[in-house]
Amino acid sequence: MARFRRRMWITLLLFLLFVFGIMMGLKTLRPEGAGFGDGIGLELLPQLHHRAAVGERRADLPNIDKSSESRTPPPPPPHLKTSEHFGMMKRAPVSDTSLDHFPPVNYDLHAFYYSWYGNQQFDGKYIHWNHPLVPHWDPKIASSYPKGRHIPPEDIGASFYPELGAYSSRDPAIINAHMIQLRDAAIGVLALSWYPPGLSDENGEPTEDLVPVILEAADKYQLKVTFHIEPYEGRENTLYSNLKYIIDKYGSHPAFYRHKTSAGRYLPMFYIYDSYLISPGSWADLLSVSGSHSLRNTQYDALFIALIVEEKHKNEILQAGFDGMYTYFATNGFSHGSSHHNWQAIKDFCDSNNLMFIPSVGPGYIDTSIRAWNNHNTRNRVNGKYYETALSTALLVRPEIITITSFNEWHEGTQIEKAVPKQSSQFVYLDYLPHKPDIYLELTRKWAEKFRSEKEQWLM
């Protein structure tokens, strides 16, 4: 009898361990009933992305041109066609035949791209890979977690390890390798994280001087570059001049992204991160036709895409005069905007108000390497299933554009860039096993084609 009871307890213990393992493995999609704020509060938003925190609609609304083909880049307007020179740099002509081994690009698929990484060889020090451990805002909770910063190259501020190592964003070989990966994934546009000259996030160094290099590298692979405007200090007062700076300096480059509107205009596109930090009234000064510093119907007019976090932001974005909204966060259930079950309602609102809805999808989320206390927002990749579920859900709402969070935001574990197994003396990094390092590029390529083919059906 004693032997029987012992066997029974051992069997029960093994069963409980099995159930626990299944639950941890499936920690991913939020249930449909999980609304905004479950498990976290809005107070997390200022810390969530380690960046420095700081009307009337226009007549020509930016509906997609129904005859446009997503795999064909829009030609620049006649007055913006360029010669083989950009600034003082000579440009080699791009040979289509040299790109034949790549899949066709989808210019309606945009990936957020970060050029803030540095290492000893190219920058004289590590930048961003040595990210500090961000303390919790509650001192009592913060005291329970480690402090300090990471020490590259073995110890980096990420839960995965790049195949390219702790690289520098200034390394020409790295930039070229990134363009190859983007092109191999059939991504047509990289949305470049941007700060004005001399400014950066609180953990980085200024990188605006890299923009010409990135444009040149992108053009080599027939990719386009748009700008993801970060919340730098003084943005409300300087955005007007900074947008003019971007268009004046880079607008004539063949890799500068422009979106064709229903009126046949080719307009630049700007994603505005943390747009809610500026009031709708202040935005309307720039974005409404009658605004005091209106950009509308000028040579600096563009498509301005705001970040939707809370449900109330829908109406604020409309009042501010934006052209659309995107969701950014790769954590399903974290915010109203990033919760997949809200996307159809947001899309319906946008359709009824002639706005673009641009859902953001990601392969997963884990930022515990820099926010050790934020484990409850981790979203397991489930060997690619999380990513494919997000992409499938995005296609259901028939968007004009889909954004990917991200190509290389390693701190938050949202990257689709190649990663490899890695173990240091103190830490075992996550990896993409049993798949190859390029699994998320392969999945992106598959869904880029599916997006293109389904969009052709929508427009028939």
Side-chain angles (χ1 to χ4, degrees):
M1 179 63 70
R3 185 180 303 137
F4 173 77
R5 284 198 298 269
R6 187 161 54 253
R7 288 179 177 173
M8 181 181 68
W9 283 110
I10 292 173
T11 302
L12 179 60
L13 178 61
L14 291 173
F15 176 74
L16 290 174
L17 288 173
F18 174 76
V19 171
F20 178 76
I22 291 295
M23 291 175 65
M24 291 301 293
L26 293 179
K27 184 184 179 185
T28 171
L29 298 177
R30 298 278 286 183
E32 285 296 306
F36 177 76
D38 291 352
I40 63 167
L42 273 175
E43 64 272 15
L44 177 58
L45 282 170
Q47 299 197 38
L48 180 68
H49 226 277
H50 44 272
R51 305 167 180 179
V54 284
E56 297 168 62
R57 299 289 299 140
R58 49 184 269 243
D60 178 26
L61 292 167
N63 283 345
I64 190 170
D65 177 34
K66 302 301 182 184
S67 63
S68 66
E69 169 56 65
S70 62
R71 69 168 68 193
T72 304
H79 67 284
L80 288 177
K81 288 184 178 176
T82 58
S83 66
E84 60 179 28
H85 290 80
F86 173 59
M88 297 300 293
M89 296 180 295
K90 288 204 171 189
R91 305 190 58 258
V94 177
S95 170
D96 290 341
T97 58
S98 67
L99 303 176
D100 285 347
H101 62 288
F102 288 111
V105 290
N106 187 331
Y107 291 98
D108 296 328
L109 193 60
H110 301 184
F112 294 110
Y113 182 86
Y114 296 88
S115 60
W116 55 26
Y117 301 105
N119 62 20
Q120 294 280 3
Q121 180 182 358
F122 281 87
D123 307 88
K125 60 182 177 179
Y126 284 101
I127 304 171
H128 263 278
W129 298 119
N130 63 342
H131 200 287
L133 294 166
V134 180
H136 194 277
W137 55 85
D138 184 335
K140 293 181 180 179
I141 298 177
S143 64
S144 302
Y145 292 94
K147 301 176 178 63
R149 64 170 56 241
H150 293 276
I151 306 174
E154 297 298 306
D155 171 24
I156 65 172
S159 294
F160 295 84
Y161 202 86
E163 182 183 66
L164 297 171
Y167 57 74
S168 170
S169 296
R170 294 185 176 277
D171 185 344
I174 294 297
I175 297 173
N176 190 69
H178 283 172
M179 299 305 142
I180 290 174
Q181 290 189 36
L182 286 159
R183 180 62 199 254
D184 197 44
I187 294 167
V189 180
L190 58 119
L192 177 63
S193 171
W194 188 84
Y195 290 87
L199 296 182
S200 69
D201 72 285
E202 58 189 354
N203 295 299
E205 300 284 343
T207 59
E208 207 282 330
D209 61 310
L210 278 177
V211 175
V213 181
I214 292 171
L215 284 165
E216 287 293 300
D219 189 47
K220 180 179 177 182
Y221 295 96
Q222 297 184 344
L223 304 176
K224 304 297 178 184
V225 179
T226 190
F227 291 80
H228 194 196
I229 309 298
E230 300 283 5
Y232 53 85
E233 184 177 356
R235 182 171 68 170
E236 181 174 358
N237 298 320
T238 61
L239 186 60
Y240 178 82
S241 59
N242 283 327
L243 291 171
K244 291 175 65 177
Y245 167 87
I246 291 173
I247 294 173
D248 284 342
K249 187 167 185 178
Y250 306 122
S252 62
H253 195 282
F256 186 84
Y257 176 70
R258 293 176 182 270
H259 188 84
K260 187 178 180 181
T261 72
S262 58
R265 300 175 68 194
Y266 291 93
L267 294 179
M269 176 178 283
F270 296 102
Y271 293 98
I272 312 293
Y273 187 77
D274 278 359
S275 50
Y276 58 85
L277 294 176
I278 297 176
S279 70
S282 294
W283 280 119
D285 286 340
L286 281 178
L287 305 182
S288 67
V289 174
S290 60
S292 57
H293 295 89
S294 179
L295 295 166
R296 299 308 189 186
N297 300 318
T298 72
Q299 61 180 319
Y300 303 108
D301 202 351
L303 303 179
F304 299 95
I305 311 300
L307 175 64
I308 175 172
V309 178
E310 299 181 70
E311 184 174 13
K312 68 177 183 179
H313 291 159
K314 291 189 298 186
N315 285 304
E316 293 178 358
I317 288 168
L318 179 64
Q319 295 166 12
F322 281 98
D323 302 289
M325 57 191 77
Y326 75 116
T327 62
Y328 186 78
F329 301 112
T331 304
N332 182 22
F334 169 69
S335 70
H336 177 82
S338 70
S339 297
H340 298 173
H341 66 269
N342 292 327
W343 284 357
Q344 187 60 60
I346 299 173
K347 177 63 159 55
D348 292 343
F349 175 88
C350 289
D351 286 348
S352 63
N353 290 284
N354 215 0
L355 297 171
M356 300 173 71
F357 174 56
I358 304 178
S360 302
V361 302
Y365 186 94
I366 179 168
D367 68 354
T368 50
S369 66
I370 62 169
R371 302 183 191 96
W373 39 267
N374 198 32
N375 184 62
H376 55 278
N377 280 313
T378 295
R379 297 295 181 268
N380 195 299
R381 294 188 174 221
V382 201
N383 292 325
K385 292 183 176 62
Y386 183 92
Y387 191 35
E388 294 202 84
T389 298
L391 285 158
S392 176
T393 306
L395 260 61
L396 288 176
V397 303
R398 299 188 173 189
E400 297 180 20
I401 293 170
I402 294 175
T403 51
I404 297 170
T405 306
S406 62
F407 176 75
N408 65 337
E409 217 295 10
W410 288 91
H411 304 306
E412 296 180 346
T414 62
Q415 80 289 336
I416 63 171
E417 185 184 351
K418 294 180 182 180
V420 292
K422 173 79 171 177
Q423 181 174 350
S424 69
S425 59
Q426 297 180 325
F427 187 73
V428 178
Y429 289 91
L430 300 176
D431 55 54
Y432 301 163
L433 293 176
H435 301 291
K436 297 182 296 182
D438 64 351
I439 177 60
Y440 292 96
L441 304 178
E442 290 183 359
L443 290 176
T444 304
R445 181 167 64 247
K446 180 182 83 171
W447 283 89
E449 174 57 26
K450 186 174 179 62
F451 183 25
R452 185 200 62 78
S453 61
E454 289 201 10
K455 195 168 185 180
E456 288 177 349
Q457 298 298 316
W458 305 340
L459 301 178
M460 289 180 63

